[in-house]
Amino acid sequence: MHIVVFSGAGISAESGIRTFRDADGLWEGHRVEDVASPQAWLRNKNLVLDFYNQRRLNLLQSQPNAAHLALAELESEYQVSVITQNVDDLHERAGSTKVIHLHGELMYARSTGNPTFRQRLDNGLLHADMHCPEGFPLRPDIVWFGEAVPMMDTAISIATKADVFIITGTSLEVYPAAGLVNFTPHDCGIWLVDPNRHQELSKQGIRCIAKPAGIGIPEAIAEIKKRYSTGGRHS
Ligand code: APR
């Protein structure tokens, strides 16, 4: 059985990483377009670099929570693919081995001139004078608003092969990622774990668990194991 997990910022909330769409509409005090767009990079490189340096230092202080750990543990029994909108590495640090990052990876920089060059930022800091070996400046390895999502086709291909699809911690407001669920097979069991009111999903028969991921994910996993060990399908 192939379990596909589609995660967003909410799964890392209990690890101390803020979600994007908090009530004040600001992301760590910034409007998102001031720090997470190609225009922001052109306008004020140092603000963007400093913003992501802060995010990285925060991530280095954070630990995977019960939801990340429970999903990693699932690999001992099932084929599991994680598709995440998150740029943090908490799924990997929990032990998940197949993780697709749709929106890039915070702990990496990439070259602005050589699309194949990436560099891990072990101390969390990227400065304006850092370059790739060919001399191009480095930028955060983040897919900014308005940029293409190169891993989307891979993610769609994985979603089409899901027996179970678990959605957690995402407001499903940002496309194309939010449309991924529409590529799951018609008989795929779908679970949604999110403590807050949620945008209507077009797929029917979704099992909603209105709890934080740290509690809701282990609960969803228990339900999935029960349902599929008896050979039943989710309807
Ligand atoms: N457990 C599970 N879900 C939670 C928790 C929690 N403890 N706390 C909050 N949530 C839910 C919220 O109810 C909301 O539905 O997580 C969701 C967070 O939504 P967003 O902040 O919009 O995050 P996300 O959907 O990941 O954002 C998508 O937007 O800014 C961009 O590129 C960025 O990848 C990001 C994308």
Side-chain angles (χ1 to χ4, degrees):
M1 184 165 82
H2 185 195
I3 300 178
V4 178
V5 179
F6 179 50
S7 67
I11 195 172
S12 297
E14 289 157 88
S15 295
I17 296 176
R18 272 185 64 173
T19 59
F20 297 95
R21 288 169 186 79
D22 279 306
D24 59 8
L26 296 178
W27 181 22
E28 300 288 353
H30 295 278
R31 292 186 317 150
V32 83
E33 56 271 32
D34 290 341
V35 286
S37 67
Q39 293 77 8
W41 179 245
L42 291 175
R43 203 167 41 230
N44 193 343
K45 229 180 194 188
N46 282 324
L47 173 73
V48 174
L49 287 169
D50 187 48
F51 175 78
Y52 285 103
N53 284 341
Q54 290 300 327
R55 303 283 71 71
R56 265 182 236 106
L57 296 178
N58 183 32
L59 177 56
L60 287 169
Q61 305 285 320
S62 306
Q63 301 300 328
N65 64 50
H68 299 105
L69 293 168
L71 292 171
E73 168 61 25
L74 261 189
E75 287 191 22
S76 62
E77 286 181 72
Y78 304 101
Q79 182 192 348
V80 182
S81 305
V82 176
I83 301 168
T84 187
Q85 297 167 93
N86 298 347
V87 298
D88 68 53
D89 58 359
L90 297 178
H91 280 297
E92 287 93 337
R93 278 160 56 193
S96 287
T97 59
K98 295 195 190 72
V99 184
I100 303 272
H101 287 271
L102 289 177
H103 295 160
E105 289 184 75
L106 186 56
M107 290 310 296
Y108 284 82
R110 70 174 142 97
S111 168
T112 50
N114 172 358
T116 63
F117 184 85
R118 287 204 324 156
Q119 178 177 315
R120 199 180 150 83
L121 300 165
D122 285 319
N123 71 357
L125 299 176
L126 176 60
H127 297 298
D129 61 357
M130 288 167 67
H131 296 80
C132 74
E134 287 118 308
F136 299 108
L138 296 179
R139 57 163 274 181
D141 184 24
I142 303 287
V143 176
W144 285 324
F145 282 95
E147 294 187 315
V149 182
M151 292 309 287
M152 196 59 202
D153 286 347
T154 307
I156 289 172
S157 159
I158 292 169
T160 62
K161 298 181 198 95
D163 296 304
V164 168
F165 195 78
I166 305 174
I167 305 167
T168 186
T170 173
S171 58
L172 295 171
E173 283 192 21
V174 175
Y175 282 82
L180 201 56
V181 65
N182 298 318
F183 293 91
T184 56
H186 73 278
D187 59 349
C188 176
I190 302 177
W191 270 258
L192 173 67
V193 178
D194 195 303
N196 298 313
R197 235 187 113 232
H198 220 275
Q199 193 166 309
E200 203 63 32
L201 288 174
S202 55
K203 285 248 174 185
Q204 297 299 308
I206 295 177
R207 167 81 175 106
C208 293
I209 299 179
K211 295 184 180 170
I215 302 170
I217 287 291
E219 223 172 277
I221 289 172
E223 287 185 12
I224 290 162
K225 285 186 177 178
K226 199 165 159 204
R227 185 162 304 189
Y228 288 87
S229 68
T230 56
R233 299 289 301 205
H234 181 66
S235 59

